[in-house]
Amino acid sequence: MKLEKLLSKGKYNEVYKSGDLAVKVFNEDYKKEDVFTEALIAASVEPLDLNTPKIVEVSQVDGKWAIAMECVEGKTLSQLMEENPNDIDKYVDMMVDIQIDMFSKKCPSLRKLKEKMTDKINSASIDDTKRYELLSRLESTPKHDKLCHGDFTPQNIIIDDKGQAHIIDWNHATVGNASADVARSYLWLSLYNDKIADLYMNKFCEKTNTDKSYVQKWLPIVAAARLTKNIAEEKELIDKWIDVVEFQ
Ligand SMILES: Nc1ncnc2c1ncn2[C@@H]1O[C@H](COP(=O)(O)OP(=O)(O)OP(=O)(O)O)[C@@H](O)[C@H]1O
Ligand SMILES: [Mg+2]
């Protein structure tokens, strides 16, 4: 496979264009099992009519595991937000509408969100009292089976030349409570821009008639789960969100 142009360089992978394909090439030390799991999840959501790029193959490129999928020509919602700050309202609206549509889909073969969050909280570096509080809170949440993306951010939405949205990066998808997915998106947005985060939360709650407190309840849980990523610059803000647990 000939890699033509670097589209993106992340901590764990590089994404290249190769003809009609986008090839996600993982770092050498990335677990083979995790590459196949990501391809499996992406393949599982393919039939759901969500405009996700089809997986074409999993192979090795220069000794590294790679997932080849259809390449979406366009810009990420994150690029568009940066290029057109006056249209933020429209883009946040789009983001919310796409996510609400996603929540209407079913994909029972995916891992349960509660189970995944439990594992993450168990491995987060927090004190045991907090861990216990967060696990009890998680346990008490209602059982839902909505398709959750797990990293639903403007960087993982590509808008093609016709204005059609495509959702990518399904690595963290699970089935569970939509409010958890919204809390995760809110947290990501707040690390980037508080105002956009609040706009997003307000729009989601308005459009779905959801009480904001349902989403806020998940914030400490998704914050603790995010902590396992060990991103130094985020630590202070994440710790703040985890501590919200003590005030509620
Ligand atoms: N199918 C695709 N078509 C076009 N561009 C893509 C495609 N897949 C990925 N990209 C580009 O590469 C970037 C990174 O891809 P992706 O989101 O899958 O990886 P990541 O965020 O680094 O992954 P992870 O969160 O799993 O570590 C995207 O934001 C997008 O710009
Ligand atoms: Mg991504």
Side-chain angles (χ1 to χ4, degrees):
M1 193 174 307
K2 191 175 170 301
L3 305 180
E4 288 155 17
K5 184 180 152 207
L6 183 68
L7 296 176
S8 146
K9 186 173 167 53
K11 199 169 165 195
Y12 306 107
N13 61 67
E14 290 175 347
V15 179
Y16 291 88
K17 190 166 166 51
S18 171
D20 292 341
L21 302 179
V23 186
K24 191 167 179 178
V25 183
F26 293 85
N27 296 349
E28 222 141 359
D29 56 355
Y30 202 82
K31 277 208 269 172
K32 177 179 179 182
E33 184 190 339
D34 292 342
V35 175
F36 278 81
T37 303
E38 179 165 338
L40 175 65
I41 299 173
S44 308
V45 298
E46 255 176 46
L48 301 182
D49 208 12
L50 274 169
N51 267 323
T52 59
K54 295 212 175 357
I55 301 296
V56 176
E57 66 175 52
V58 178
S59 60
Q60 282 195 305
V61 177
D62 298 333
K64 295 175 187 167
W65 283 103
I67 300 176
M69 65 196 116
E70 290 170 351
C71 186
V72 184
E73 301 290 345
K75 287 182 178 177
T76 65
L77 198 56
S78 160
Q79 274 172 293
L80 290 169
M81 283 177 166
E82 262 161 45
E83 287 171 15
N84 312 294
N86 291 334
D87 291 332
I88 284 291
D89 199 82
K90 178 181 97 184
Y91 293 136
V92 175
D93 238 11
M94 273 175 89
M95 180 174 167
V96 171
D97 289 342
I98 300 163
Q99 198 171 15
I100 293 173
D101 176 52
M102 176 186 79
F103 291 146
S104 72
K105 311 288 179 183
K106 294 271 178 289
C107 196
S109 64
L110 296 187
R111 233 186 134 185
K112 306 269 178 298
L113 182 140
K114 265 196 191 184
E115 227 178 79
K116 188 166 179 178
M117 289 289 175
T118 304
D119 285 355
K120 289 208 165 190
I121 292 171
N122 276 323
S123 64
S125 47
I126 44 176
D127 68 57
D128 283 344
T129 318
K130 251 179 220 163
R131 196 186 317 280
Y132 179 77
E133 276 180 84
L134 291 170
L135 288 172
S136 321
R137 175 181 289 224
L138 179 61
E139 195 45 52
S140 71
T141 58
K143 212 174 146 202
H144 287 178
D145 64 349
K146 302 272 182 352
L147 172 60
C148 294
H149 182 279
D151 195 20
F152 195 85
T153 69
Q155 286 184 340
N156 288 331
I157 301 165
I158 305 179
I159 310 297
D160 71 20
D161 306 336
K162 293 187 192 119
Q164 180 69 55
H166 303 253
I167 314 174
I168 60 164
D169 201 1
W170 287 89
N171 192 15
H172 306 285
T174 54
V175 286
N177 197 307
S179 292
D181 209 48
V182 173
R184 175 66 178 68
S185 299
Y186 174 82
L187 188 80
W188 189 93
L189 287 170
S190 73
L191 293 167
Y192 161 79
N193 182 316
D194 271 342
K195 280 211 183 91
I196 298 182
D198 287 331
L199 183 65
Y200 162 80
M201 173 84 94
N202 290 335
K203 279 191 191 289
F204 177 81
C205 291
E206 256 168 48
K207 282 177 193 258
T208 57
N209 212 1
T210 301
D211 198 305
K212 229 190 253 184
S213 65
Y214 277 108
V215 180
Q216 283 163 337
K217 259 202 165 53
W218 282 94
L219 280 172
I221 297 171
V222 296
R226 176 81 184 178
L227 209 55
T228 56
K229 286 214 169 192
N230 277 326
I231 304 173
E233 310 87 73
E234 292 183 4
K235 185 147 185 357
E236 197 181 330
L237 193 63
I238 299 265
D239 280 343
K240 190 190 93 183
W241 285 120
I242 294 176
D243 284 337
V244 173
V245 76
E246 281 158 22
F247 304 113
Q248 284 176 354

